[in-house]
Amino acid sequence: MNIEMEDCYYYNSRGRKYPFESFFVKARNIRYIHIPDNKEVLKTIKNQLLMFRQPRQIVNKKRTYKEKRARNYQQELLVNISKQ
């Protein structure tokens, strides 16, 4: 979970404060997140997920020979199983 922040402050290990207009944190550097009590956590998370969710585009592509052969083999197996 990468995080992008705007108008924030970074405090180093000695407590020195550095202002940033834009700040990006990689997921591997995140240890924990403090969420204020006045925020509705579930509602906020659902809104964020809806923003990133995009409908999948179904692409009509031509099947390869290997895909056709696997599909035919699967159909033959289903027919044989249904006969038993």
Side-chain angles (χ1 to χ4, degrees):
M1 173 177 59
N2 297 331
I3 296 179
E4 291 183 50
M5 297 179 276
E6 295 178 355
D7 297 324
C8 60
Y9 294 97
Y10 167 74
Y11 292 88
N12 68 5
S13 59
R14 295 182 181 204
R16 187 157 180 208
K17 181 176 163 181
Y18 297 95
F20 284 92
E21 290 179 15
S22 177
F23 195 78
F24 181 81
V25 182
K26 288 187 177 183
R28 68 179 185 207
N29 295 327
I30 298 172
R31 301 283 186 249
Y32 67 92
I33 298 173
H34 174 77
I35 300 172
D37 292 333
N38 61 351
K39 295 287 183 185
E40 295 180 29
V41 178
L42 292 178
K43 183 179 175 184
T44 305
I45 291 173
K46 286 179 183 178
N47 288 339
Q48 287 294 320
L49 290 175
L50 288 174
M51 285 176 42
F52 293 117
R53 187 177 299 161
Q54 296 179 3
R56 284 186 133 177
Q57 299 292 329
I58 298 174
V59 178
N60 291 333
K61 66 173 190 166
K62 201 171 188 180
R63 287 191 184 149
T64 63
Y65 176 73
K66 188 175 181 180
E67 289 172 332
K68 289 178 187 175
R69 190 174 59 180
R71 177 74 175 182
N72 289 339
Y73 180 70
Q74 183 183 22
Q75 288 176 346
E76 288 174 11
L77 283 175
L78 292 174
V79 167
N80 290 337
I81 291 172
S82 64
K83 287 181 181 178
Q84 293 177 355

